[in-house]
Amino acid sequence: MLEVRGTTVIAAAVILASASLVTACTPQDATPAGGDGLARFERQEIIWHGCKDGPKDTEGSALDEAGGLCAELTVPLDYRHPDGRTIKIAVSRIPAKDTAHRHGTLLYNPGGPGLPVRYLTRQLRAASPVLAARYDVIGMDPRFVGRSTPLNCHWPAVSIGSAGADRDTFDTTVRLARDLASRCDSQRSVLPYASTRNTARDMDVIRAALGEQKISYLGSSYGTYLGQVYTQLFPDRTDRVVLDSSLDADAYGPELTRTLGPSVTRALRHWATWAARRDGTYHLGSTTAQVMHAISRLDQNIGRAAVKVGAHTVSSRNLPQLLWNVTAGDSDEAYASYAADVRVLVRAAHGDTVRPTSTLDQVLTDLATPDADGTFAAQTAIECADRAAASHDPDTYYRDIRQHRADDPVFGPLTRTVTPCTFWPTTPAEPPTHVHNHVPLLMVGATGDPATVYEGQLAAHRHLRKSRLITLRGAFRHTVYAGLFSPRNDCIDETVNRYLATGVLPTHDGTCRN
C-alpha cells in the first residue's frame, strides 16, 4: 500500500478487511504438509549471477555496479503439496561491506503489495550506512511479481478509479472491476496461492537455502503486514525486525482503503494550512478553511463536468486519485509540487486553458495506460488471495458511498467503491493470518500517516506483544525511516540504526518530533 508519487501504482487502487481469523500459528502451521516435503527446497543450491539482463536493463546494471548478485530459487506453488507444481522466486543480494563486523542477512520489502523489490536493495543500502556495513541485504520479488513467475492478466487499466459523482459513474467502476476480474479467469490455477502467507513461506525457504538459522527483516507499509505474518508463522527464525508504518493485520484485505478517506483529508487539511501561508504564490486562499473550500469547489465543479488539462481529461473518476497525491509527503518540496498541481486543476475547473505540471502530466499519463507489466493485476491477486471481499453485491458499496457523501465527499467514492476482488474468480486457499505473538521487534511510524493510520499502528503494537513503538509526532507522511519515501528524521533514523547495529530494543516506547 505504498504509493510513490508519479508512478502507476496508485494507493487508492488497493485494499480492506473483514474479520474472519484463524488460531495463532506455529512453525508447523506454516508448513501444512510437514517439514520433510520442503527439504529439497530448503537445501537447494543458490546459483548467483549478474543482475543485468540485456543492454537496456539499467536497473540491473546499477545493481551489478553496487556489488549485487541475483538468483532464482524454486519454491512450491502450494505449500500444502510441496511435491506438486513449483514456481521461481527472483532475489538479489548485496553483501555486507564490513565483513569483519557482518551481523547476518536482512530481507527488505518496501510495500505494495505487488511491488518488485529485487532492484530496490541498492536504494536501501545507499540510504542506510548501518545496513550497508553489517548486513547482506536481500531483495525478493514476491511470488507472481516482477521476475518471480510473473502474473499478467493483460488488464486495460491500472486502477478502477473513483465511483464519481452519481450512479452512472459508479456503474462504470462496477463494469470495469467485473471485466478486470474476468480477465484473470485463465489464471485460476495459481490465483489462490498468491497470498502473503505463501510469500512469507518463500522468505523462509530463502533463509534456509542461504544457510541462515535466523533472518532479519525491514518492511514498510504492506511490507509490515508481510513481516507480521512471517513472525507469526516462524517466530523462532527471526532476528532483528523493523516495521515502518505498520498495518493492522486484522484490517488487511481487498478493501483496506475503505476507511482511509478521513485520514487523507486530515493530511489534506495540513497541506491546506501550508498553502494558506503562501496564498501569494498559489492563490488558493489565505486561511485553511478557504483552501479546503477551494478543494471542495474543485470536486463539485468537476463532478458536474469533466475538464481538459492539456491533452488529458480530468473527471470525477480520476480527480480523487490526483488529490490523493497529498499523501506523497509533508516536506516543503512535496507540498509545493502538490500545490502547483492543485492550482492547475482549479484554473481548469474555472474554464481556463491550462497545461499540466510535469508531475500532473506524468500521473495522468500513467493512469490512462494499460497494466502492461501486470503490476495492478498482481497486487490485486495478492489482496484477493489474502481475504475474500466483504461483499459481492455492488449495491452494498453504493449504499456505503451514499451514506458517506457528506462526511467523506472527496475520497469516499474512491476508497469505498468496488474492487476486482468483488468479482474475483477464485476464493482464498487459507483463512487470513491472526497475528498475536511475542517476537521482539521495533516499530516506527507517524501520528499523521494518511495510509497506515496511527490507530492501526497501535493495534498492531498490541498484537505484537514484545514490540517497541517509536512515534514520530506532528508528521503527515507515510513511512519514516531513512528518507526512502518521505523526509528523513534524525531521531527515527538513530533509533532504528542503533537497534540494527546492536540488536537491543529501546527499554520502552518513545516519541520523536518532526
Side-chain angles (χ1 to χ4, degrees):
M1 113 130 239
L2 176 63
E3 176 191 2
V4 181
R5 184 177 174 88
T7 72
T8 58
V9 182
I10 302 299
V14 285
I15 49 195
L16 168 94
S18 58
S20 173
L21 301 176
V22 295
T23 57
C25 302
T26 66
Q28 288 73 34
D29 185 32
T31 309
D36 291 344
L38 290 180
R40 68 186 177 102
F41 301 103
E42 295 174 339
R43 292 198 295 260
Q44 67 184 292
E45 180 185 2
I46 302 177
I47 301 175
W48 297 103
H49 54 76
C51 298
K52 185 177 180 180
D53 183 16
K56 296 183 179 180
D57 185 4
T58 57
E59 292 177 324
S61 178
L63 196 52
D64 288 340
E65 291 173 5
L69 293 170
C70 289
E72 296 75 39
L73 284 80
T74 302
V75 299
L77 171 66
D78 179 359
Y79 276 82
R80 297 170 302 179
H81 304 286
D83 294 327
R85 186 174 171 184
T86 63
I87 59 175
K88 293 288 187 180
I89 301 297
V91 300
S92 65
R93 171 179 174 267
I94 306 181
K97 290 182 178 179
D98 186 355
T99 56
H101 298 94
R102 176 187 178 275
H103 175 72
T105 296
L106 180 141
L107 193 141
Y108 173 52
N109 186 286
L115 187 67
V117 185
R118 198 172 72 141
Y119 293 138
L120 294 178
T121 52
R122 183 175 61 88
Q123 288 92 317
L124 174 64
R125 287 261 307 221
S128 175
V130 169
L131 286 174
R134 300 287 188 90
Y135 291 87
D136 297 345
V137 178
I138 300 289
M140 174 187 75
D141 285 357
R143 53 174 49 205
F144 308 122
V145 174
R147 296 174 185 261
S148 292
T149 312
L151 181 148
N152 193 334
C153 297
H154 305 288
W155 282 358
V158 296
S159 75
I160 297 298
S162 173
D166 52 36
R167 181 72 198 214
D168 287 343
T169 49
F170 170 76
D171 287 343
T172 298
T173 68
V174 171
R175 288 192 295 271
L176 178 56
R178 196 188 300 273
D179 175 63
L180 297 186
S182 71
R183 291 170 186 260
C184 284
D185 191 66
S186 62
Q187 307 285 345
R188 293 176 67 93
S189 65
V190 302
L191 294 177
Y193 310 109
S195 68
T196 301
R197 285 170 68 88
N198 281 330
T199 298
R201 292 167 177 143
D202 296 340
M203 285 172 54
D204 202 59
V205 167
I206 292 170
R207 175 204 59 78
L210 288 168
E212 300 281 5
Q213 293 299 310
K214 295 186 175 185
I215 194 167
S216 294
Y217 180 79
L218 170 63
S220 58
S221 193
Y222 162 80
T224 67
Y225 178 66
L226 174 59
Q228 291 176 63
V229 172
Y230 186 83
T231 64
Q232 190 66 36
L233 300 184
F234 306 101
D236 297 326
R237 300 173 191 172
T238 59
D239 189 2
R240 300 171 187 178
V241 177
V242 178
L243 304 181
D244 179 359
S245 306
S246 295
L247 285 166
D248 175 5
D250 286 354
Y252 172 76
E255 294 150 351
L256 176 62
T257 60
R258 175 178 167 269
T259 58
L260 287 186
S263 66
V264 179
T265 300
R266 287 193 292 272
L268 186 65
R269 187 172 292 109
H270 186 263
W271 163 81
T273 300
W274 180 95
R277 293 197 297 265
R278 297 160 177 81
D279 185 44
T281 301
Y282 300 108
H283 310 292
L284 297 170
S286 59
T287 67
T288 302
Q290 288 175 354
V291 177
M292 291 299 291
H293 180 67
I295 294 291
S296 179
R297 287 284 303 275
L298 172 65
D299 182 56
Q300 292 167 9
N301 290 340
I302 291 184
R304 287 190 288 268
V307 299
K308 297 295 289 185
V309 176
H312 306 286
T313 299
V314 175
S315 69
S316 64
R317 292 200 54 237
N318 62 9
L319 174 65
Q321 293 175 296
L322 304 178
L323 295 178
W324 190 275
N325 273 340
V326 74
T327 63
D330 56 357
S331 67
D332 285 343
E333 180 184 12
Y335 273 4
S337 177
Y338 183 78
D341 293 351
V342 171
R343 178 62 185 158
V344 167
L345 294 169
V346 167
R347 288 181 56 212
H350 286 166
D352 295 346
T353 299
V354 298
R355 296 177 62 85
T357 66
S358 59
T359 298
L360 199 56
D361 183 62
Q362 184 63 60
V363 173
L364 284 165
T365 299
D366 289 345
L367 286 172
T369 59
D371 184 33
D373 60 3
T375 295
F376 183 32
Q379 176 188 63
T380 304
I382 295 166
E383 295 159 5
C384 302
D386 280 332
R387 193 188 299 263
S391 174
H392 300 290
D393 178 10
D395 284 340
T396 301
Y397 298 86
Y398 189 63
R399 286 194 297 269
D400 187 41
I401 291 169
R402 291 188 63 187
Q403 289 169 3
H404 290 276
R405 284 283 186 189
D407 61 9
D408 196 6
V410 176
F411 298 114
L414 175 65
T415 63
R416 296 174 184 272
T417 195
V418 295
T419 76
C421 294
T422 309
F423 311 106
W424 206 239
T426 61
T427 57
E430 300 176 82
T433 304
H434 178 42
V435 174
H436 185 90
N437 63 57
H438 291 77
V439 174
L441 56 84
L442 179 62
M443 300 174 62
V444 293
T447 52
D449 190 326
T452 55
V453 296
Y454 191 61
E455 293 81 358
Q457 296 180 41
L458 292 175
H461 184 33
R462 290 192 295 270
H463 299 156
L464 299 163
R465 304 299 293 273
K466 284 195 173 182
S467 61
R468 292 287 184 267
L469 173 61
I470 306 301
T471 300
L472 179 59
R473 297 202 173 276
F476 288 80
R477 65 190 65 158
H478 180 49
T479 74
V480 296
Y481 173 60
L484 289 161
F485 302 104
S486 65
R488 280 185 179 272
N489 179 271
D490 290 342
C491 175
I492 291 290
D493 285 2
E494 289 168 5
T495 302
V496 173
N497 289 338
R498 187 182 308 115
Y499 168 62
L500 289 173
T502 66
V504 178
L505 283 169
T507 57
H508 55 272
D509 293 347
T511 59
C512 293
R513 295 290 173 182
N514 187 24

